[in-house]
Amino acid sequence: MHSWQRLVGCSLLAIAVASGQPDWRAGLSSPSAKARTRAARTLGDMPGGDAYLDLLAPLLRDSDEQVRVAAVTAILKMRVVDALPLLVDAAGDLSPAVQTIAVDGLVDFYIPGYFKFGSRLTAAGLGGALKNRFSKPSPLIVPAYVDVSPSAIKAIGDVVRAGKSDGARANAARAIGILRGQSQIDALVEGVRSRSGDLILECVLAIRKLQDVSVGPELVFLLRDLDPVLLNAVVQTMGQLRTREAVPDLVRIVEEGRKANIRTQALLALAKIPNSGQREVFISYLRHKDDSLRAAAAEGIARIGTPADLELIEQLAAKEKSLRARLSMAFASVMLGDHVQLARLIEGLNSKVHRLEARPLIVELARDPEVLSKLYVPLATGTPPQRRHLAVVLARSGTSESVPYLESLMNDSNNQVASEAIESLRNLRARL
């Protein structure tokens, strides 16, 4: 922290005390746990309180759990570099509440606003807050260009392994995925063999984000789980990790599954696994009444890559009414050699409903240099949604030749497009 910032902080605190607010200094060393808690909260809420970060450190060793909760919450809210070692230490606390807040603080340092529990959180109330959090997966992941402290990742991994509650462990597993904590993949694999449903699910979702294909076989046993939420997550992860060992179970789910959405995800997973040997299965679903299954089948045919299938795909595409299925069939056509159909996918980026279906298909196609070269014109001349989403495509599949095209887009007249171009350029450079 700069000296002028400390001076401003000291001045603000002095004004607060002079104006009749409680003497937080006395509270920090009070024999009353309630007083120490109030003092910690005061520092956390006060502008310039980070100037007194060193005064909060001793409270992390307080004998009262609620004091430690208040202290770590105050430190988290300060979001200064000097707070990182304190949060790392707090992650090793014996209290699951302190561990959880410390882990959230480490994530919040890299993704501001991640911490949502509030400054008046109590240890007793944390369990319910975590349950609400685990009710839906987090899409967050730190940008590739952000360097996360190895000590922070290790501290979070230690909580996954030996946290003081299943909730604290599950929360840490989620954090590993968000912070791209590849070094702690073993902790996640260990977590999927626990008895806690929340922990298993968060470990699976984190493994999917880390994209470590080597651990796919470690998850295959979960394809027999009866929990539909967990099963759906595992099925999708098998596809993302391209786990060939999962093929028999995925075929069983496609043929026997009771949940339509899980059957669709299983067929999509099979479509992503190289040499799955399921061409006949895909062919049989190309005319299914469910458009999601037709789309998944088309993607499977696309990746098998048999040129003779192009005629069938284009015949079906000409009759197809579902935009979702048409996009997947266009993807198949391009993969099988008809690059004219790339325009249909680019047009799909204009659809608010289907653009996030079209974009990953274009990302995959853009790994082909010939396809990639065809994206530069619509990147410059397309609609704002097309330009914005094509910038993301270049971040994920572009090459060094893509850099000047993104640089030009940084000056786009549309602020959202320009902002996305800047972010995508940073991600592309981090990947190259």
Side-chain angles (χ1 to χ4, degrees):
M1 177 178 295
H2 297 294
S3 58
W4 68 267
Q5 290 176 306
R6 291 188 178 276
L7 288 172
V8 170
C10 292
S11 299
L12 289 170
L13 290 171
I15 292 170
V17 172
S19 65
Q21 294 185 13
D23 186 353
W24 53 269
R25 283 182 177 275
L28 291 174
S29 57
S30 170
S32 165
K34 289 184 178 180
R36 297 195 300 277
T37 299
R38 286 195 299 269
R41 288 173 173 170
T42 297
L43 269 180
D45 292 338
M46 193 174 292
D50 52 342
Y52 291 86
L53 184 64
D54 55 330
L55 298 181
L56 282 171
L59 295 187
L60 293 177
R61 298 184 293 276
D62 199 280
S63 60
D64 187 276
E65 181 184 29
Q66 190 55 46
V67 173
R68 301 199 305 279
V69 166
V72 73
T73 302
I75 291 169
L76 178 164
K77 294 170 69 176
M78 292 175 180
R79 297 196 72 256
V80 292
V81 173
D82 291 345
L84 274 178
L86 296 179
L87 293 172
V88 167
D89 288 345
D93 196 275
L94 296 178
S95 160
V98 176
Q99 288 183 324
T100 296
I101 299 168
V103 166
D104 272 21
L106 292 170
V107 177
D108 192 87
F109 188 82
Y110 298 99
I111 301 182
Y114 179 76
F115 179 72
K116 300 293 186 184
F117 293 134
S119 61
R120 296 297 182 265
L121 177 70
T122 64
L126 187 63
L130 281 178
K131 274 296 181 184
N132 289 335
R133 169 175 287 186
F134 297 148
S135 65
K136 57 183 178 180
S138 170
L140 295 174
I141 187 166
V142 75
Y145 56 81
V146 173
D147 292 324
V148 180
S149 164
S151 64
I153 295 297
K154 182 182 182 304
I156 298 171
D158 288 344
V159 178
V160 176
R161 290 187 177 89
K164 299 306 178 182
S165 74
D166 288 338
R169 296 178 68 194
N171 189 64
R174 175 173 289 210
I176 289 294
I178 292 172
L179 295 181
R180 300 180 186 268
Q182 186 67 42
S183 65
Q184 298 303 310
I185 192 74
D186 288 346
L188 298 174
V189 173
E190 182 180 328
V192 301
R193 296 190 177 276
S194 76
R195 295 183 178 181
S196 165
D198 286 338
L199 175 57
I200 296 170
L201 178 59
E202 291 297 335
C203 286
V204 168
L205 295 174
I207 289 170
R208 188 195 306 171
K209 286 182 177 180
L210 297 182
Q211 294 289 293
D212 188 333
V213 299
S214 69
V215 304
E218 301 280 357
L219 308 183
V220 172
F221 77 98
L222 292 172
L223 290 170
R224 296 280 175 171
D225 200 283
L226 298 178
D227 180 344
V229 175
L230 176 58
L231 179 58
N232 194 39
V234 177
V235 165
Q236 292 184 52
T237 302
M238 293 296 90
Q240 290 294 102
L241 302 184
R242 304 185 298 282
T243 306
R244 292 189 64 185
E245 291 85 348
V247 168
D249 280 308
L250 291 172
V251 171
R252 171 183 56 80
I253 293 169
V254 170
E255 295 177 346
E256 304 173 7
R258 296 181 179 179
K259 298 278 188 179
N261 65 317
I262 298 179
R263 290 181 65 207
T264 299
Q265 292 301 330
L267 193 60
L268 276 171
L270 286 170
K272 293 177 181 178
I273 298 173
N275 304 314
S276 67
Q278 303 306 310
R279 180 175 179 275
E280 294 306 315
V281 172
F282 297 138
I283 291 290
S284 69
Y285 278 94
L286 281 174
R287 293 181 173 87
H288 197 278
K289 63 180 181 180
D290 186 319
D291 64 334
S292 297
L293 288 169
R294 296 197 301 274
E299 291 181 31
I301 293 296
R303 297 188 182 100
I304 291 173
T306 303
D309 289 331
L310 176 59
E311 183 178 355
L312 173 61
I313 289 292
E314 297 201 332
Q315 286 176 355
L316 294 174
K319 303 174 184 177
E320 181 59 60
K321 296 181 180 180
S322 162
L323 178 54
R324 178 176 186 179
R326 288 203 306 271
L327 289 172
S328 293
M329 289 176 182
F331 168 75
S333 292
V334 178
M335 288 285 276
L336 297 174
D338 182 5
H339 288 186
V340 173
Q341 296 302 316
L342 180 62
R344 186 182 293 275
L345 286 163
I346 295 172
E347 179 61 30
L349 297 176
N350 286 324
S351 169
K352 292 182 179 180
V353 175
H354 296 286
R355 63 179 48 142
L356 294 185
E357 296 167 1
R359 191 175 77 184
L361 298 177
I362 302 173
V363 167
E364 185 171 346
L365 291 170
R367 295 168 189 160
D368 178 342
E370 185 178 352
V371 173
L372 178 63
S373 67
K374 296 179 184 297
L375 299 180
Y376 297 137
V377 170
L379 179 74
T381 63
T383 64
Q386 288 173 332
R387 300 199 303 275
R388 182 160 56 90
H389 288 279
L390 286 174
V392 176
V393 171
L394 294 192
R396 297 180 182 177
S397 297
T399 65
S400 57
E401 294 180 355
S402 307
V403 169
Y405 293 96
L406 283 175
E407 288 177 335
S408 297
L409 205 63
M410 291 167 58
N411 298 316
D412 196 276
S413 58
N414 183 289
N415 290 336
Q416 286 186 321
V417 174
S419 177
E420 191 62 67
I422 293 169
E423 183 76 0
S424 293
L425 183 60
R426 297 178 74 179
N427 280 312
L428 174 60
R429 283 174 167 158
R431 187 173 57 78
L432 293 177

Coordinates of all heavy atoms in Angstrom, one line a residue, residues 346 349 359 362 375-380 382 385-395 406 409 424:
I346 N -22.5 -18.8 -38.2 CA -22.2 -17.4 -37.9 C -23.5 -16.7 -37.7 O -23.6 -15.8 -36.8 CB -21.3 -16.8 -39.0 CG1 -19.9 -17.5 -39.0 CG2 -21.2 -15.3 -38.7 CD1 -19.0 -17.1 -40.1
L349 N -25.1 -16.8 -34.3 CA -24.6 -16.0 -33.2 C -25.6 -14.8 -33.0 O -25.5 -14.1 -31.9 CB -23.2 -15.5 -33.5 CG -22.1 -16.5 -33.7 CD1 -20.8 -15.9 -34.1 CD2 -22.0 -17.3 -32.3
R359 N -21.7 -21.0 -30.8 CA -20.3 -20.6 -30.6 C -19.3 -21.7 -30.4 O -18.2 -21.7 -31.0 CB -20.3 -19.5 -29.5 CG -18.9 -18.8 -29.3 CD -18.9 -17.8 -28.3 NE -18.9 -18.3 -26.9 CZ -19.0 -17.6 -25.8 NH1 -19.2 -16.3 -25.9 NH2 -18.9 -18.1 -24.6
I362 N -18.4 -23.3 -33.6 CA -17.4 -22.5 -34.4 C -16.0 -22.6 -33.8 O -15.0 -22.7 -34.5 CB -17.9 -21.1 -34.5 CG1 -19.3 -21.0 -35.1 CG2 -16.9 -20.3 -35.3 CD1 -19.9 -19.6 -35.1
L375 N -13.2 -16.5 -40.9 CA -13.9 -15.8 -39.8 C -13.5 -14.3 -39.7 O -14.2 -13.6 -39.1 CB -13.6 -16.5 -38.4 CG -14.1 -17.9 -38.3 CD1 -13.7 -18.5 -36.9 CD2 -15.6 -18.1 -38.5
Y376 N -12.4 -14.0 -40.3 CA -11.9 -12.6 -40.2 C -12.8 -11.6 -40.8 O -12.9 -10.4 -40.3 CB -10.5 -12.5 -40.7 CG -9.5 -13.4 -40.0 CD1 -8.5 -14.1 -40.7 CD2 -9.5 -13.5 -38.6 CE1 -7.6 -14.9 -40.0 CE2 -8.6 -14.2 -37.9 CZ -7.7 -15.0 -38.6 OH -6.8 -15.8 -37.9
V377 N -13.5 -11.9 -41.9 CA -14.4 -10.9 -42.6 C -15.6 -10.7 -41.7 O -15.9 -9.5 -41.4 CB -14.8 -11.4 -44.0 CG1 -15.9 -10.5 -44.5 CG2 -13.6 -11.4 -44.9
P378 N -16.3 -11.7 -41.3 CA -17.5 -11.4 -40.4 C -17.1 -10.8 -39.0 O -17.8 -10.1 -38.4 CB -18.2 -12.8 -40.2 CG -17.1 -13.8 -40.6 CD -16.3 -13.1 -41.6
L379 N -15.8 -11.1 -38.6 CA -15.3 -10.4 -37.4 C -15.3 -8.9 -37.5 O -15.6 -8.2 -36.6 CB -13.9 -10.9 -37.1 CG -13.2 -10.4 -35.8 CD1 -13.8 -10.9 -34.6 CD2 -11.7 -10.6 -35.9
A380 N -15.0 -8.5 -38.7 CA -15.0 -7.0 -39.0 C -16.3 -6.4 -39.5 O -16.6 -5.2 -39.2 CB -13.9 -6.7 -40.0
G382 N -19.6 -8.2 -39.4 CA -20.8 -8.8 -38.9 C -21.6 -7.9 -38.0 O -21.2 -6.7 -37.7
P385 N -23.4 -8.7 -32.2 CA -23.3 -10.0 -31.5 C -22.3 -10.9 -32.2 O -21.6 -11.7 -31.6 CB -24.7 -10.6 -31.5 CG -25.6 -9.3 -31.6 CD -24.8 -8.4 -32.5
Q386 N -22.3 -10.9 -33.5 CA -21.4 -11.8 -34.3 C -20.0 -11.3 -34.0 O -19.1 -12.2 -33.8 CB -21.7 -11.7 -35.8 CG -23.0 -12.4 -36.2 CD -23.4 -12.2 -37.6 OE1 -23.0 -11.1 -38.2 NE2 -24.1 -13.1 -38.2
R387 N -19.7 -10.1 -34.0 CA -18.3 -9.6 -33.8 C -17.8 -10.0 -32.4 O -16.7 -10.4 -32.2 CB -18.2 -8.1 -34.0 CG -18.6 -7.6 -35.4 CD -18.1 -6.2 -35.8 NE -18.5 -5.2 -34.9 CZ -19.7 -4.5 -35.0 NH1 -20.6 -4.9 -35.9 NH2 -20.0 -3.5 -34.1
R388 N -18.8 -9.8 -31.4 CA -18.4 -10.0 -30.0 C -18.1 -11.5 -29.8 O -17.1 -11.9 -29.2 CB -19.5 -9.6 -29.1 CG -19.3 -9.7 -27.6 CD -20.2 -8.8 -26.8 NE -21.6 -9.0 -27.2 CZ -22.4 -9.9 -26.5 NH1 -21.9 -10.7 -25.5 NH2 -23.7 -10.0 -26.8
H389 N -19.0 -12.4 -30.3 CA -18.8 -13.8 -30.1 C -17.7 -14.4 -30.9 O -17.0 -15.4 -30.5 CB -20.1 -14.6 -30.3 CG -21.1 -14.3 -29.2 ND1 -21.0 -15.0 -28.0 CD2 -22.1 -13.4 -29.1 CE1 -22.0 -14.5 -27.2 NE2 -22.7 -13.6 -27.9
L390 N -17.4 -13.8 -32.1 CA -16.3 -14.3 -32.9 C -15.0 -13.9 -32.2 O -13.9 -14.6 -32.4 CB -16.4 -13.8 -34.3 CG -17.4 -14.4 -35.2 CD1 -17.5 -13.7 -36.6 CD2 -17.1 -15.9 -35.4
A391 N -15.0 -12.8 -31.5 CA -13.8 -12.5 -30.7 C -13.4 -13.6 -29.7 O -12.3 -13.9 -29.5 CB -14.0 -11.1 -30.0
V392 N -14.5 -14.1 -29.1 CA -14.3 -15.2 -28.1 C -13.7 -16.4 -28.8 O -12.9 -17.1 -28.3 CB -15.6 -15.5 -27.4 CG1 -15.4 -16.7 -26.5 CG2 -16.1 -14.3 -26.6
V393 N -14.3 -16.7 -30.0 CA -13.8 -17.8 -30.8 C -12.3 -17.7 -31.1 O -11.5 -18.7 -30.9 CB -14.6 -17.9 -32.1 CG1 -13.9 -19.0 -33.1 CG2 -16.0 -18.3 -31.9
L394 N -11.9 -16.5 -31.5 CA -10.4 -16.3 -31.8 C -9.6 -16.5 -30.5 O -8.5 -17.0 -30.6 CB -10.2 -14.9 -32.4 CG -10.8 -14.7 -33.8 CD1 -10.2 -13.4 -34.3 CD2 -10.5 -15.8 -34.7
A395 N -10.1 -16.1 -29.4 CA -9.4 -16.2 -28.1 C -9.1 -17.7 -27.9 O -8.1 -18.1 -27.3 CB -10.1 -15.6 -27.0
L406 N -7.9 -8.9 -33.9 CA -8.5 -8.6 -32.6 C -8.0 -7.2 -32.2 O -8.8 -6.4 -31.6 CB -8.1 -9.6 -31.5 CG -8.8 -10.9 -31.5 CD1 -8.2 -11.9 -30.5 CD2 -10.3 -10.7 -31.2
L409 N -10.3 -4.8 -33.7 CA -11.6 -4.8 -33.1 C -11.6 -4.0 -31.8 O -12.7 -3.6 -31.3 CB -12.0 -6.2 -32.9 CG -13.6 -6.5 -32.8 CD1 -14.2 -6.1 -34.2 CD2 -13.8 -7.9 -32.5
S424 N -10.5 -10.8 -25.1 CA -10.1 -12.0 -25.9 C -8.7 -11.9 -26.4 O -8.0 -13.0 -26.4 CB -11.0 -12.0 -27.2 OG -12.4 -12.3 -26.8

